[in-house]
């Protein structure tokens, strides 16, 4: 029966996929959730980025495969002005946008595409944005919409960015998924057709794979881009994302050969994966953080004593033992120890339910209160079992009189509702995207990010002033001092409870070659082949 199921699944996945003689074959990746869309600028999660930014698109500059170094992408070189406010990018020639059923380009990639990509995010009155109103959370969370004064076409192969203030992480930010470059010609075609929203459903990029079909909660199908400008990087003819939400089922499919790569295994399954002769597990120290965000705009979470009480009532050692099962380290601040400027002097809160009760009494909440606690519906390295973690926190809080009702939603809906601030407390986390401290402190806790990834909805001016100053100097020693002080302030104000940093385990068949674990938690399939 199992073999029959296997044949049906594989046949279903490959139906309609043309395998020519001598084809490089098909790679099936068991992913864990459906993407919310295919316009990377609109999203902030790795699920969305894997399905679009890492497959369909490229950026002006890119991170080296499996590393954090910024390398040339669609721009082959660049220079910055002496004052650090003007960046000039010289664009690569001979790059073609993809031909799809919906679009056939008439010219190669040029400066117009870069100008369109960024002015759409900057200008709320941009014609395309008015036709398809949307927000760009990552771009605004980092204040780039406020700091980029102009994006100008110098000539067809040259673009100039002018900043209002120095941004020490500007190049790293441009290498991130949200900065994927769109086709201006395709956007104009959609605009004329009155179909601007299709940019998020039928993407066109310059990347290694072309989107062919998407069935929500089932599969995403790509074909290799035969015109890809990075010669030799596309090593499979077909790439299929098989969407499988249950990590145990993903493991079974991997063992059965129904997919060749998967992600986010249950900690309890890692030992069995490592001992299986058909499998290999790539392991790397996690550049991540799992945490509880407290919505300070909801009473009584607006009171510091209440947040401190909730924090010290959580038995973190017990959670790390049960949820991470040997692959987690206690988190004490808003970034991992491998991030430069990490403040190792900050102590972890001691588990103390008795003191937590005293703090609630001080806050006028001696009889406790009711609260919602949201639990993620997906597994992430930073939280491999959110349901179990939520149940353990619920039990901990009950001991101090706080009744938590656990809620969850489909992943896209979870993020959408959270950004609107519908939650009281929620389990969430982060995997660093560019190796800069601002990617943690600014993206997750700045005033600019309150309507984006700042799920605590916490805007604290002294903290904000420190991180803004940190972005405006390129002196690493000075930036380190500012970010260390900022970590002290966030500890004092407790808008969140840091839980853990985890080890990343990436399982796959031994027949897979060329896959590299991204420090940023992304899954890229260029350069990957199957023997």
């Amino acid at each position: 029966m199992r073999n029959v199921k296997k044949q049906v699944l594989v046949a279903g996945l490959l139906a309609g996929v043309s395998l020519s003689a001598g084809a490089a074959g098909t790679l099936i990746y068991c992913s864990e959730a459906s993407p919310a869309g295919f316009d990377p600028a609109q999203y902030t999660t790795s699920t969305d980025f894997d399905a679009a930014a890492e497959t369909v698109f490229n950026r002006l500059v890119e991170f080296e495969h499996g590393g954090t170094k910024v390398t040339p992408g669609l721009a082959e070189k660049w220079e910055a002005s002496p004052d650090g406010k003007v960046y000039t990018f010289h664009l690569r020639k001979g790059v073609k946008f993809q031909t799809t059923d919906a679009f056939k380009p008439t010219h190669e990639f040029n400066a117009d595409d870069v100008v369109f990509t960024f002015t759409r995010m900057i200008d709320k009155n941009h014609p395309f944005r008015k036709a398809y109103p949307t927000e760009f959370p990552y771009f605004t969370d980092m204040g780039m919409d406020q700091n980029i004064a102009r994006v100008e076409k110098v000539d067809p192969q040259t673009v100039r960015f002018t900043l209002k203030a120095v941004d020490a992480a500007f190049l790293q930010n441009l290498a991130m998924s949200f900065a994927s470059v769109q086709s201006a010609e395709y956007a104009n075609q959609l605009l004329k057709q009155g179909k601007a929203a299709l940019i998020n459903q039928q993407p066109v990029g310059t990347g290694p794979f072309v989107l062919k079909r998407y069935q929500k909660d089932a599969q995403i199908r790509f074909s290799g881009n035969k015109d890809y400008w990075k010669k030799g990087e596309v090593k499979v003819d077909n790439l299929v994302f098989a969407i499988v939400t249950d990590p145990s089922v993903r493991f079974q499919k991997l063992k059965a050969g129904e997919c060749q790569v998967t992600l986010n295994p249950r900690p309890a399954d890692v030992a069995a994966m490592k001992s299986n002769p058909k499998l290999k597990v790539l392991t790397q120290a996690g550049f991540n953080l799992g945490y509880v965000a407290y919505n300070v705009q909801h009473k009584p979470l607006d009171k510091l004593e209440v947040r401190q009480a909730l924090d010290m009532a959580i038995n973190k050692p017990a959670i790390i033992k049960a949820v991470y099962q040997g692959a987690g380290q206690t988190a004490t601040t808003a970034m991992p120890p491998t991030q430069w400027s990490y403040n190792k002097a900050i102590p972890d809160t001691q588990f103390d339910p008795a003191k937590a009760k005293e703090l609630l009494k001080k806050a006028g909440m001696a009889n406790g209160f009711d609260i919602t606690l949201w639990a993620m519906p997906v597994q992430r390295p930073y939280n491999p079992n959110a349901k179990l973690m939520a149940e353990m926190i619920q039990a901990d809080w009950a001991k101090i009189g706080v009744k938590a009702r656990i809620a969850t939603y489909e992943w896209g809906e979870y993020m959408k509702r959270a950004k609107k601030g519908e939650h009281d407390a929620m389990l969430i986390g982060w995997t660093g995207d560019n190796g800069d401290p601002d990617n943690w402190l600014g993206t997750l806790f700045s005033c600019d990010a309150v309507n984006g990834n700042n799920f605590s909805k916490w805007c604290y001016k002294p903290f904000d002033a420190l991180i803004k100053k940190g972005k405006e100097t390129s002196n690493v020693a000075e930036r380190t001092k500012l970010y260390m002080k900022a970590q002290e302030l966030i500890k004092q104000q407790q808008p969140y409870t840091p839980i853990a940093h985890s080890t990343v385990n990436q399982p796959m068949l031994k027949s897979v070659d060329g896959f590299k674990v991204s420090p940023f938690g992304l899954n890229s399939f260029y350069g990957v082949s199957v023997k």
Side-chain angles (χ1 to χ4, degrees):
M1 187 67 184
R2 186 170 171 186
N3 287 336
V4 171
K5 287 182 179 178
K6 174 182 174 182
Q7 290 167 0
V8 170
L9 173 75
V10 174
L13 286 172
L14 300 183
V17 174
S18 173
L19 294 174
S20 59
T26 296
L27 174 63
I28 301 176
Y29 164 59
C30 277
S31 67
E32 94 292 24
S34 296
F38 294 90
D39 175 7
Q42 292 189 44
Y43 304 110
T44 61
T45 79
S46 58
T47 297
D48 303 302
F49 293 157
D50 286 353
E54 295 302 304
T55 49
V56 178
F57 292 97
N58 292 115
R59 290 145 292 286
L60 283 173
V61 293
E62 303 197 335
F63 293 112
E64 64 181 350
H65 199 185
T68 61
K69 181 184 176 184
V70 174
T71 62
L74 294 176
E76 56 186 2
K77 60 181 180 178
W78 58 88
E79 62 265 353
S81 61
D83 67 359
K85 293 183 181 179
V86 179
Y87 287 79
T88 304
F89 294 90
H90 303 277
L91 306 183
R92 194 177 298 276
K93 294 180 180 178
V95 176
K96 297 178 181 179
F97 275 97
Q98 297 161 356
T99 295
T100 69
D101 292 342
F103 175 68
K104 185 174 182 178
T106 63
H107 57 78
E108 294 177 345
F109 158 74
N110 63 33
D112 293 330
D113 304 306
V114 181
V115 172
F116 165 74
T117 296
F118 289 92
T119 53
R120 175 179 70 131
M121 292 191 278
I122 295 167
D123 182 7
K124 291 189 176 182
N125 293 312
H126 189 282
F128 194 91
R129 189 162 172 181
K130 292 185 85 169
Y132 176 41
T134 188
E135 298 301 320
F136 305 102
Y138 225 138
F139 191 69
T140 53
D141 283 2
M142 295 189 296
M144 294 182 78
D145 58 327
Q146 301 297 317
N147 196 35
I148 298 176
R150 292 184 302 282
V151 184
E152 302 167 284
K153 173 183 177 180
V154 178
D155 61 49
Q157 299 303 131
T158 313
V159 177
R160 180 187 298 129
F161 285 72
T162 302
L163 309 182
K164 296 175 185 175
V166 173
D167 182 349
F170 185 65
L171 281 176
Q172 287 95 325
N173 293 343
L174 290 187
M176 290 163 60
S177 299
F178 77 90
S180 295
V181 175
Q182 299 275 359
S183 164
E185 183 183 12
Y186 179 50
N188 286 334
Q189 175 183 303
L190 293 176
L191 203 56
K192 288 175 183 175
Q193 294 172 344
K195 298 178 179 178
L198 287 184
I199 201 168
N200 193 30
Q201 299 167 43
Q202 299 175 1
V204 171
T206 59
F209 297 97
V210 182
L211 178 67
K212 289 297 184 182
R213 189 187 307 170
Y214 170 46
Q215 294 170 271
K216 185 175 170 62
D217 298 331
Q219 61 174 280
I220 315 171
R221 231 191 266 273
F222 304 90
S223 64
N225 181 4
K226 293 178 172 56
D227 294 322
Y228 190 44
W229 56 275
K230 289 186 183 178
K231 300 304 177 188
E233 286 281 11
V234 181
K235 297 183 182 293
V236 291
D237 283 347
N238 304 288
L239 172 65
V240 179
F241 282 31
I243 299 165
V244 182
T245 57
D246 188 320
S248 298
V249 176
R250 290 199 297 271
F251 182 22
Q252 294 304 317
K253 291 187 182 301
L254 186 67
K255 287 194 293 185
E258 295 172 10
C259 55
Q260 291 113 329
V261 181
T262 186
L263 81 171
N264 301 339
R266 293 191 315 150
D269 291 334
V270 172
M273 288 176 169
K274 289 181 175 178
S275 64
N276 189 310
K278 295 180 182 178
L279 307 181
K280 59 183 176 182
V281 180
L282 305 183
T283 300
Q284 185 168 292
F287 194 53
N288 58 42
L289 168 71
Y291 63 99
V292 185
Y294 302 121
N295 186 344
V296 301
Q297 293 181 359
H298 285 193
K299 293 183 181 300
L301 298 172
D302 58 330
K303 295 184 178 182
L304 175 59
E305 293 90 352
V306 170
R307 300 195 299 272
Q308 289 174 328
L310 293 175
D311 178 60
M312 64 179 58
I314 296 174
N315 188 344
K316 281 172 31 176
I319 287 174
I320 289 170
K321 183 178 180 181
V323 174
Y324 295 86
Q325 297 186 25
Q329 303 84 45
T330 301
T332 61
T333 186
M335 57 175 69
T338 47
Q339 172 65 63
W340 64 267
S341 79
Y342 174 80
N343 192 336
K344 62 183 180 182
I346 293 175
D348 192 26
T349 302
Q350 293 301 303
F351 175 55
D352 193 338
K355 189 175 179 182
K357 283 185 176 181
E358 291 176 16
L359 283 169
L360 287 183
K361 186 175 181 181
K362 183 180 176 184
M365 307 296 295
N367 296 322
F369 57 91
D370 293 350
I371 190 174
T372 58
L373 173 61
W374 288 17
M376 298 153 46
V378 296
Q379 293 75 38
R380 286 288 186 270
Y382 57 70
N383 191 336
N385 191 337
K387 182 175 182 290
L388 175 58
M389 187 184 292
E391 290 168 350
M392 293 182 74
I393 292 173
Q394 180 187 49
D396 287 340
W397 285 349
K399 293 170 185 172
I400 62 168
V402 175
K403 296 177 183 177
R405 180 177 64 83
I406 297 171
T408 192
Y409 302 91
E410 180 271 330
W411 182 231
E413 189 71 10
Y414 188 88
M415 296 297 289
K416 183 178 176 182
R417 287 172 176 260
K419 285 175 181 176
K420 290 180 180 177
E422 295 181 16
H423 59 288
D424 292 330
M426 68 180 286
L427 298 181
I428 195 64
W430 193 250
T431 296
D433 281 323
N434 67 9
D436 193 87
D438 184 71
N439 186 239
W440 301 91
L441 302 180
T443 302
L444 302 181
F445 297 104
S446 70
C447 295
D448 286 336
V450 162
N451 294 317
N453 285 308
N454 183 345
F455 298 111
S456 299
K457 308 298 177 186
W458 177 71
C459 176
Y460 188 56
K461 296 299 183 183
F463 173 87
D464 230 49
L466 286 171
I467 61 170
K468 277 191 164 71
K469 194 172 179 183
K471 283 183 71 175
E472 293 174 2
T473 175
S474 56
N475 184 302
V476 173
E478 179 62 24
R479 294 186 78 203
T480 296
K481 288 179 186 176
L482 293 164
Y483 292 131
M484 289 180 77
K485 178 63 178 174
Q487 288 167 76
E488 292 173 8
L489 288 185
I490 199 171
K491 176 65 178 175
Q492 292 168 13
Q493 294 296 314
Q494 206 73 62
Y496 77 125
T497 291
I499 301 290
H501 313 292
S502 76
T503 300
V504 174
N505 291 295
Q506 186 88 42
M508 63 195 70
L509 297 185
K510 284 185 175 176
S511 57
V512 175
D513 188 51
F515 187 96
K516 296 185 179 180
V517 178
S518 163
F520 307 128
L522 301 173
N523 291 282
S524 306
F525 295 97
Y526 61 89
V528 181
S529 62
V530 183
K531 295 174 186 174

